[in-house]
Amino acid sequence: MRLNIKMTESDTVPPELKGMATADEVDDFTLPVYWVHSYSHNEARLRIADNPGRLKFVDQLPDSVLKAPVPVLAGDREVPFYFFGGDWAIYTPGVEAQFAVSQEGGVRSSVLKLDKLLRKNGGRLIFVPVPQSASLYPDLALGRNDGRVLKGAPGNTAVQELLRSLKEDGVSVVDLTEHFRSHRTYDFEGKGYAAWLPNDTHWSSWAAAESAKLVKAELTKVTKELSNTLGPDSNLAASVKEVRIEHEGDIGDLTVVESLGVHVDPVPTVLYQCKTLEGEKSAADSSAPVHVIGDSYAMIWESERAGFSSHLGNMLNQPVYTTAVSGSGNRGAPHQWLKHAGGSHPQVLIWLVAERALTQSDWFELP
């Protein structure tokens, strides 16, 4: 490690520090005493030392699972909270520099090229990385719970830098971290629940609905008016039914958890189900003006009409066309979409992808 130290003689020490006791290993008292008033370094780990949440995950093995030392509330119960990175690389030093370059096969290059293609055909892209629970609840991993609002920086500060870069490139983005750091829990019948599932690698139905609301707000900025495939008298939008359920979660199915013989209990959560009006069309085809591509975040809860696409369609008063490939929102989903629906030229394409994929080097590239 290289240090650049700026120092002056000790009589320039700030007045408020002059009375502080000091200790050193100096034996030769004829040497002058200096006050170090600033220093810089090239050590990447020290640059993230002020973010303990991020540091907690830097050295985790790719498929490791962490159990928080403190429980969280899930309705009327306290439950353990499990963290799974899949790929913890978004917390490592140097990620900001990786995101800053538009190297082919990386996230920035892929997003920029798809955005350019859509604009060429009169459409717009909205890029929406979904934070993993470790980014929003790093305090839990450290053995404390700072409550509903995350105090201090989230774990995924590098991802927020990426979004700032993409905005400077002219790409429309939605920063879910900024919203959910202040909405880490939600209430149902007077009881609190975590927005991200404690026993699952995904978000809750409530968080999916909240995210759809944020994306809709961005969508209204990028397009003046959406065409409506259901006709002027359609009424797909309907009330939302709230149902408390016991969710099994997927943490217990992970290889590392099964191999250790750890049993993960179901956790209470709430389904926010979009009720389709009888006789109304609820499934979209590729002629829909709004398309969604993504991974399992775009799939979870959809069979119960309680996921992201269901809520977005409910808010837009028409269904959205969704292409999702589990574990491959960065490559498989855009490839499948381009093959089967890319020629339909939607007005808006929403790219929903887990942030743990952002550091991968095999992002979709246009042929």
Side-chain angles (χ1 to χ4, degrees):
M1 179 175 69
R2 183 182 298 276
L3 286 175
N4 297 313
I5 299 176
K6 294 182 180 180
M7 58 186 185
T8 56
E9 292 189 6
S10 60
D11 58 1
T12 65
V13 64
E16 64 272 17
L17 300 181
K18 283 187 175 180
M20 294 183 66
T22 60
D24 55 43
E25 298 280 342
V26 176
D27 294 324
D28 185 353
F29 293 99
T30 65
L31 295 174
V33 179
Y34 289 92
W35 163 251
V36 177
H37 57 83
S38 68
Y39 73 94
S40 61
H41 58 81
N42 66 344
E43 176 54 52
R45 287 182 180 272
L46 290 180
R47 287 199 293 273
I48 63 172
D50 60 347
N51 190 333
R54 183 172 170 182
L55 279 176
K56 177 71 175 179
F57 307 110
V58 166
D59 294 319
Q60 299 301 321
L61 296 174
D63 293 320
S64 59
V65 176
L66 298 180
K67 180 182 178 181
V70 294
V72 295
L73 283 174
D76 53 4
R77 297 211 307 263
E78 285 192 339
V79 300
F81 202 112
Y82 296 91
F83 297 102
F84 174 69
D87 182 357
W88 301 95
I90 60 167
Y91 306 117
T92 56
V95 174
E96 290 87 348
Q98 177 184 337
F99 286 159
V101 299
S102 299
Q103 184 175 354
E104 186 164 319
V107 55
R108 193 173 178 188
S109 169
S110 182
V111 170
L112 288 175
K113 289 178 181 178
L114 189 53
D115 180 66
K116 183 178 179 180
L117 174 67
L118 288 160
R119 288 176 184 267
K120 179 181 177 181
N121 294 312
R124 293 294 301 273
L125 175 69
I126 301 177
F127 185 63
V128 190
V130 182
Q132 52 198 23
S133 56
S135 296
L136 297 173
Y137 303 88
D139 52 319
L140 285 174
L142 294 171
R144 63 178 189 269
N145 186 345
D146 287 341
R148 292 174 176 261
V149 178
L150 174 61
K151 297 177 175 65
N156 62 352
T157 50
V159 178
Q160 295 182 296
E161 288 293 329
L162 169 66
L163 293 182
R164 277 192 281 271
S165 298
L166 288 172
K167 286 182 71 174
E168 291 174 359
D169 294 329
V171 178
S172 294
V173 303
V174 174
D175 184 356
L176 296 181
T177 299
E178 185 60 30
H179 177 78
F180 283 107
R181 66 183 298 183
S182 301
H183 298 81
R184 303 198 305 171
T185 64
Y186 64 96
D187 290 330
F188 175 69
E189 296 182 343
K191 296 180 173 61
Y193 296 81
W196 262 242
L197 298 164
N199 66 341
D200 201 298
T201 60
H202 299 94
W203 54 17
S204 66
S205 174
W206 177 85
E210 279 287 294
S211 299
K213 187 189 305 180
L214 298 172
V215 170
K216 179 180 181 284
E218 182 66 22
L219 188 149
T220 59
K221 296 177 185 178
V222 303
T223 184
K224 293 182 179 179
E225 184 177 357
L226 283 176
S227 58
N228 195 317
T229 58
L230 301 185
D233 299 324
S234 67
N235 187 21
L236 178 66
S239 60
V240 174
K241 180 182 178 182
E242 300 166 339
V243 182
R244 184 185 181 279
I245 64 169
E246 293 283 326
H247 180 64
E248 291 287 345
D250 64 1
I251 290 291
D253 297 329
L254 297 174
T255 302
V256 63
V257 177
E258 287 186 330
S259 65
L260 291 172
V262 176
H263 176 72
V264 180
D265 290 323
V267 166
T269 189
V270 182
L271 280 182
Y272 288 79
Q273 293 180 303
C274 300
K275 294 196 294 184
T276 305
L277 296 180
E278 187 176 353
E280 294 291 348
K281 179 181 178 182
S282 60
D285 56 34
S286 60
S287 66
V290 178
H291 290 199
V292 174
I293 57 176
D295 47 33
S296 53
Y297 276 98
M299 300 168 68
I300 189 171
W301 310 122
E302 282 302 322
S303 60
E304 296 92 350
R305 290 198 52 76
F308 174 83
S309 292
S310 292
H311 280 281
L312 182 60
N314 200 38
M315 295 171 191
L316 296 175
N317 196 29
Q318 61 178 315
V320 300
Y321 181 80
T322 302
T323 303
V325 178
S326 181
S328 190
N330 63 314
R331 186 172 180 83
H335 174 77
Q336 290 297 318
W337 173 80
L338 188 66
K339 180 179 179 180
H340 298 291
S344 59
H345 305 316
Q347 289 178 255
V348 180
L349 175 65
I350 298 155
W351 196 347
L352 193 76
V353 61
E355 71 176 12
R356 57 176 167 259
L358 297 178
T359 58
Q360 296 178 13
S361 59
D362 62 344
W363 276 70
F364 169 78
E365 290 283 348
L366 290 168

